[in-house]
Amino acid sequence: MSNYKVISSAGNIFSNIELDRISAYMIITILSVIVGVIMLLTDGNILAALGLVTGVSILLITFYRVDLGFFIFISMVLLFDQFHIPEAHPITYKIDYFKNLKQIPYVPHFSAGVMNPVELQLVLMLLAWFVAISVRKSTRVQHIPVWGLAVIFFLSLIIALLHGLGTGGTFLPSLWELRALFYFGFLYFFVPQIIQTKSQLEALFWIFIIFITIKALQGAARFIFYGFSFRGLETLTNHEDPVFITLLIIFLLSMILLDCKSKQRTALVILFTPLVLGFFAGQRRAAYAGLFISLITFVILLNGHERMILLKAFFPFLIFGIIYCAVFWNSNSKLASPVKLVKSGFTTNKKEDGERYLSNLYRKFERYDLAVTLRTSPVTGLGFGKKYMLPIPLPPIPFPLRDYIPHDEILWLLIKTGAVGFFIFWLFIDSLLIHSSTLSDKLRDPYLRSICIVITIALINQMVVSYYDLQLTYYRNMIVLGTLCGLLPALKNIDKKQNNVPMQEYNDVNEEES
């Protein structure tokens, strides 16, 4: 009888394997036929055919496992470019991943296609998650940090949108203004529901390491190809890439200082040089400011013993940095490029700074225009979808939303939402910072604590770069930030399970939002 059961079980296993093979063959056959038809209809458009196969594959994988679909999504966000890089035409930009469907040349045109592939994937993941929890039925919705303030903040954005549209605003510009912020909000609430284990965290950070390094290598390769020069170009990377590289640098420093034994630490040590070269190739003053503030914040987040270890270890580097700045402060050599870039952020020497001087002047005029605009509606704000006033006319720049979105996006948010919305925004961000920094002190696992430090610094870094540049409305920035902030519940739950920590020890990081 027992032999019969063994044979029967083996038969079931082999029949299941055979069924999986048949299903796989059927899917491959159907896809091949569809690809052939698409290529015939589009006169051999390979991108259209590949796009279809990729879309179907993502659909099937996401419904099979939502977390795998999310990993694909975040990989694509990090890999592809939202904006054109001067004199560069990489395939990572030509894919048009961040454009509306009606703007993508290899997608059939329809005027109502105002959604983009990013939004399609977000909707797909949400549907797959709903299907998954419907099937399992035992799935518990995870707690969201400071969820009450988050809801109030996003409601204030909706109110500002309705206010803007109701007083003469235009819908499409308002859509471009708000998209990135709502991506952040979606992922802030959604990521805790799908990332809940340490293996998932490790997989996600491997994705960060791999794809941010690819972007750094792209910039480094351009710098080397141009003969170790910038050929007069403003940047050789996306504006966001140096911001992401800063987070990996902080992640490495955290793992080293907290003595975290991890393959990711080893990988980052090996990749440190290309990452630094990629950061340099970005040539973004905002990124340098963000890196400086991030390092200061990192020191503050450490306890006294850890801070002394860090200062002793990096004291020689500090001395070297001071000497370097002193020697190259007034130099025009290639080696002086970083210090010249930082110096141009707070000097007004037209002869030395060139284009940077004009950029600084543009921003000063822009801030004056914003200040004048704020006086017209200081409490409720201008609302989204409306242009700010230009008492000082600004020179034309290659940015179609120039009159809607200024460089200083901290002031932009004040102009659009008024004092009330601006207060809510900072209350939410500050509460989130308090939550993450407090949680960092409670975590026992050095790997989890390193991630928590990165999250805290990512929030501060994003505010700094957004003050200097248009980075609250960049899709990639806000998707990454929303993902990182959405990891906070997982860090607490994983650490608790690993160390059998009583829930009372986390009381001060469990806000009673209600």
Side-chain angles (χ1 to χ4, degrees), residues 250-417:
I250 295 297
F251 188 41
L252 173 60
L253 288 176
S254 298
M255 287 192 289
I256 291 174
L257 193 65
L258 302 179
D259 196 25
C260 174
K261 309 297 183 183
S262 168
K263 292 180 180 178
Q264 292 180 353
R265 167 180 164 175
T266 305
L268 284 173
V269 169
I270 296 169
L271 297 170
F272 184 75
T273 300
L275 285 171
V276 170
L277 191 56
F279 182 92
F280 174 68
Q283 282 287 96
R284 305 308 303 167
R285 290 176 294 176
Y288 277 94
L291 175 62
F292 179 71
I293 298 299
S294 295
L295 291 173
I296 292 175
T297 306
F298 179 66
V299 174
I300 293 171
L301 287 173
L302 302 173
N303 61 41
H305 176 66
E306 293 165 345
R307 197 175 296 125
M308 287 305 300
I309 294 174
L310 178 70
L311 293 176
K312 287 179 181 177
F314 283 90
F315 185 75
F317 296 98
L318 180 63
I319 296 299
F320 172 79
I322 293 171
I323 295 173
Y324 165 78
C325 290
V327 171
F328 290 101
W329 189 257
N330 293 312
S331 172
N332 289 317
S333 72
K334 288 183 179 180
L335 291 175
S337 294
V339 73
K340 283 177 65 179
L341 188 67
V342 174
K343 181 181 174 182
S344 70
F346 51 87
T347 61
T348 54
N349 190 317
K350 184 177 181 179
K351 183 179 179 181
E352 288 186 9
D353 298 336
E355 289 296 324
R356 302 290 179 183
Y357 169 81
L358 297 176
S359 177
N360 288 345
L361 194 61
Y362 181 98
R363 282 167 166 77
K364 287 182 179 180
F365 290 162
E366 196 176 56
R367 288 194 176 105
Y368 177 83
D369 292 340
L370 293 173
V372 172
T373 305
L374 181 62
R375 292 178 183 176
T376 63
S377 186
V379 178
T380 59
L382 192 66
F384 293 102
K386 295 177 71 175
K387 298 179 180 181
Y388 58 89
M389 298 169 61
L390 296 174
I392 298 180
L394 298 173
I397 59 174
F399 181 51
L401 296 174
R402 182 202 68 173
D403 298 342
Y404 295 90
I405 307 174
H407 285 84
D408 185 341
E409 294 202 325
I410 302 299
L411 282 180
W412 162 78
L413 203 59
L414 174 60
I415 298 300
K416 297 290 180 171
T417 63

Side-chain angles (χ1 to χ4, degrees), residues 5-17:
K5 287 182 179 179
V6 171
I7 293 170
S8 177
S9 299
N12 289 333
I13 292 170
F14 285 118
S15 63
N16 289 335
I17 292 173

Side-chain angles (χ1 to χ4, degrees), residues 55-264:
V56 173
S57 301
I58 291 172
L59 176 71
L60 294 174
I61 291 170
T62 303
F63 273 96
Y64 172 67
R65 267 183 57 180
V66 185
D67 60 334
L68 293 182
F70 173 72
F71 292 150
I72 293 172
F73 166 74
I74 203 70
S75 300
M76 295 173 77
V77 167
L78 290 170
L79 179 63
F80 297 135
D81 307 316
Q82 184 181 353
F83 297 105
H84 176 252
I85 300 169
E87 291 192 17
H89 307 281
I91 187 66
T92 50
Y93 176 72
K94 293 178 182 177
I95 293 297
D96 294 328
Y97 179 66
F98 296 98
K99 287 186 177 179
N100 290 342
L101 295 177
K102 66 179 182 179
Q103 297 174 301
I104 302 176
Y106 55 85
V107 172
H109 178 79
F110 56 105
S111 58
V114 294
M115 290 185 72
N116 57 33
V118 172
E119 290 156 357
L120 290 178
Q121 279 187 269
L122 291 177
V123 171
L124 174 63
M125 288 188 293
L126 186 61
L127 289 174
W129 180 69
F130 276 129
V131 170
I133 61 174
S134 298
V135 171
R136 287 198 296 264
K137 295 184 179 179
S138 59
T139 303
R140 178 169 167 260
V141 175
Q142 295 298 312
H143 172 81
I144 308 297
V146 294
W147 67 268
L149 286 174
V151 170
I152 292 171
F153 169 60
F154 288 105
L155 283 176
S156 73
L157 293 181
I158 294 172
I159 291 169
L161 170 63
L162 296 175
H163 171 58
L165 296 179
T167 54
T170 309
F171 174 70
L172 281 179
S174 70
L175 181 67
W176 287 105
E177 286 184 290
L178 282 173
R179 266 177 157 165
L181 286 169
F182 277 100
Y183 295 162
F184 167 83
F186 178 93
L187 292 164
Y188 179 66
F189 283 91
F190 183 69
V191 168
Q193 314 311 322
I194 56 172
I195 304 297
Q196 299 174 358
T197 67
K198 191 170 184 178
S199 60
Q200 289 176 318
L201 279 174
E202 290 172 342
L204 179 60
F205 270 78
W206 274 121
I207 289 170
F208 285 142
I209 292 168
I210 292 168
F211 288 98
I212 293 172
T213 301
I214 289 173
K215 304 309 288 185
L217 288 171
Q218 279 185 321
R222 292 176 191 127
F223 179 67
I224 294 169
F225 180 75
Y226 293 155
F228 294 93
S229 73
F230 291 92
R231 199 185 283 179
L233 300 175
E234 181 184 350
T235 182
L236 302 180
T237 70
N238 295 279
H239 287 23
E240 316 95 293
D241 292 333
V243 178
F244 300 152
I245 292 170
T246 294
L247 301 183
L248 288 188
I249 292 172
I250 295 297
F251 188 41
L252 173 60
L253 288 176
S254 298
M255 287 192 289
I256 291 174
L257 193 65
L258 302 179
D259 196 25
C260 174
K261 309 297 183 183
S262 168
K263 292 180 180 178
Q264 292 180 353

